Amino acid sequence: MDPFLTQAKKRSAHSMNWEKEHHWKKFKACKEDEWEEEESSIEEEFSHPLPWQKIEAEGLDCDYALLFSKDEADRLFNELEEEVEYFTGEKAQIRVFGKHYSVPRKQATYGDPGLMYSFSGVHLLARPWTPTLDYIRDAVTKATGRTFNFVLVNRYKDGSDHIGEHRDDEKELDPGFPIASVSLGAARDFVFRHREARGRKPRRHIDPVKLELAPGSLLLMNQPTNTYWYHSLPARKRVLTPRINLTFRCIVSQAQQQELRPSQ
DNA sequence: ACAGTCTCATTTGA
DNA sequence: TTCAAATGAGACTG
């Protein structure tokens, strides 16, 4: 019998195991003694400030909180399963190192009319907001004070679906905005790696930052996180159920990009 | 031994 | 000019 599983919370048990196994410093998304209190306060309303947890490292600045109760996260997940239409065919393909691949997940984009988001040779036009996506966007606005105009939906059908290391450093992203990541469905591990700690001969040794993204959680990636840190959602074969991730962004038009560009 | 995980190489075109 | 939202190979590990 795994001694960790006798703990009250399986989730924190998993955290401790993982840290022990890999000898890596791992951020604990929820401290055991704070967990019960958080869950019950979230249950009511987010009219009062959320219990944010700061995640910090050199050049990394994130905030993590539980935005939705377990029940509401469940409800929202089911609604999105009905509402969201994912891309198929060539819109579900990207180009990496000159080769085409189908993405190992499903993707959709929603937002204000006309907004477009591009990466790795794929160009995705925003569909109009659905009721549930608009509701979640509203909850994110109340929690952050920012109104996002676009969301990228990633659906991971099970632990074999994943996303590789990358940065969200596209030109069209407003640098003044954080990226707000909402998780629903299965909990999944999430990993940050510093750009100077990658490759054959890393210039520096910087520990990765790992966390588990719980259903109903909100992760804010603030500047300059996406300049220095790559992130990924690695495959986890033991995960058998789907996860939906919503990354809210602020996209600026071509004209606005001109304005933001340092003039000479 | 084996299955899951991790790290590195890839080398074209945006 | 830089460097990659992908996979696959080889190493590690419990």
Side-chain angles (χ1 to χ4, degrees), chain A residues 110-121:
Chain A
Y110 289 82
D112 293 350
L115 290 180
M116 178 121 97
Y117 189 52
S118 304
F119 59 88
S120 298

Side-chain angles (χ1 to χ4, degrees), chain A residues 1-11 13-14 17:
Chain A
M1 185 65 170
D2 188 332
F4 289 114
L5 293 179
T6 63
Q7 300 290 325
K9 288 293 164 188
K10 199 174 167 186
R11 204 154 71 75
H14 179 227
N17 266 333

Side-chain angles (χ1 to χ4, degrees), chain A residues 76-93:
Chain A
L76 293 169
F77 177 87
N78 290 329
E79 288 180 14
L80 290 179
E81 288 288 70
E82 299 296 321
E83 285 179 18
V84 175
E85 288 183 74
Y86 295 94
F87 291 111
T88 58
E90 70 168 20
K91 293 290 188 198
Q93 299 230 312

Side-chain angles (χ1 to χ4, degrees), chain A residues 52-55 61-65 218-222:
Chain A
W52 291 102
Q53 301 222 19
K54 200 75 186 165
I55 306 171
D61 179 355
C62 294
D63 296 285
Y64 180 86
L218 170 60
L219 177 71
L220 285 182
M221 290 178 268
N222 306 304

Side-chain angles (χ1 to χ4, degrees), chain A residues 67-109:
Chain A
L67 182 62
F68 300 115
S69 68
K70 205 172 193 347
D71 283 352
E72 191 165 23
D74 258 10
R75 178 178 69 78
L76 293 169
F77 177 87
N78 290 329
E79 288 180 14
L80 290 179
E81 288 288 70
E82 299 296 321
E83 285 179 18
V84 175
E85 288 183 74
Y86 295 94
F87 291 111
T88 58
E90 70 168 20
K91 293 290 188 198
Q93 299 230 312
I94 59 173
R95 246 185 128 125
V96 182
F97 277 94
K99 291 179 181 166
H100 293 276
Y101 300 95
S102 296
V103 291
R105 60 188 171 276
K106 282 181 174 174
Q107 294 186 314
T109 50

Side-chain angles (χ1 to χ4, degrees), chain A residues 1-263:
Chain A
M1 185 65 170
D2 188 332
F4 289 114
L5 293 179
T6 63
Q7 300 290 325
K9 288 293 164 188
K10 199 174 167 186
R11 204 154 71 75
S12 35
H14 179 227
S15 299
M16 293 176 72
N17 266 333
W18 196 10
E19 181 178 1
K20 205 176 172 190
E21 284 167 16
H22 295 274
H23 306 282
W24 275 341
K25 195 170 131 191
K26 178 184 175 298
F27 173 81
K28 290 194 177 86
C30 280
K31 289 174 189 146
E32 292 80 349
D33 52 326
E34 289 172 2
W35 175 251
E36 297 297 341
E37 187 193 331
E38 275 176 33
E39 197 163 42
S40 55
S41 68
I42 295 292
E43 216 88 11
E44 304 156 19
E45 271 299 299
F46 34 83
S47 51
H48 49 78
L50 289 175
W52 291 102
Q53 301 222 19
K54 200 75 186 165
I55 306 171
E56 279 177 307
E58 185 183 320
L60 184 147
D61 179 355
C62 294
D63 296 285
Y64 180 86
L66 289 177
L67 182 62
F68 300 115
S69 68
K70 205 172 193 347
D71 283 352
E72 191 165 23
D74 258 10
R75 178 178 69 78
L76 293 169
F77 177 87
N78 290 329
E79 288 180 14
L80 290 179
E81 288 288 70
E82 299 296 321
E83 285 179 18
V84 175
E85 288 183 74
Y86 295 94
F87 291 111
T88 58
E90 70 168 20
K91 293 290 188 198
Q93 299 230 312
I94 59 173
R95 246 185 128 125
V96 182
F97 277 94
K99 291 179 181 166
H100 293 276
Y101 300 95
S102 296
V103 291
R105 60 188 171 276
K106 282 181 174 174
Q107 294 186 314
T109 50
Y110 289 82
D112 293 350
L115 290 180
M116 178 121 97
Y117 189 52
S118 304
F119 59 88
S120 298
V122 69
H123 309 281
L124 305 175
L125 186 64
R127 292 184 164 113
W129 295 99
T130 71
T132 305
L133 288 172
D134 208 30
Y135 174 86
I136 298 171
R137 175 169 75 142
D138 218 52
V140 171
T141 299
K142 284 170 179 155
T144 65
R146 317 303 288 265
T147 301
F148 295 86
N149 62 10
F150 182 91
V151 65
L152 173 66
V153 184
N154 278 290
R155 183 185 187 275
Y156 305 88
K157 70 177 187 302
D158 58 31
S160 65
D161 275 3
H162 62 278
I163 193 166
E165 274 190 348
H166 68 283
R167 296 180 293 164
D168 296 324
D169 60 347
E170 285 73 28
K171 283 284 183 290
E172 60 263 42
L173 293 177
D174 185 333
F177 266 68
I179 288 171
S181 168
V182 172
S183 295
L184 300 168
R188 289 288 295 265
D189 293 336
F190 189 77
V191 182
F192 286 104
R193 275 173 88 197
H194 195 282
R195 69 179 186 188
E196 290 182 5
R198 303 164 77 240
R200 166 149 293 275
K201 295 183 201 98
R203 303 185 67 232
R204 308 179 51 198
H205 294 284
I206 303 173
D207 284 339
V209 174
K210 304 184 157 203
L211 50 149
E212 184 181 72
L213 297 177
S217 70
L218 170 60
L219 177 71
L220 285 182
M221 290 178 268
N222 306 304
Q223 289 290 345
T225 305
N226 269 119
T227 305
Y228 298 107
W229 293 76
Y230 289 70
H231 59 268
S232 67
L233 190 90
R236 288 291 179 263
K237 293 299 172 59
R238 288 166 299 190
V239 175
L240 304 176
T241 56
R243 167 177 184 261
I244 292 176
N245 180 60
L246 312 170
T247 48
F248 291 89
R249 298 143 193 270
C250 185
I251 298 206
V252 298
S253 67
Q254 203 75 22
Q256 288 170 314
Q257 284 179 49
Q258 295 281 345
E259 288 171 25
L260 290 173
R261 208 160 287 149
S263 51

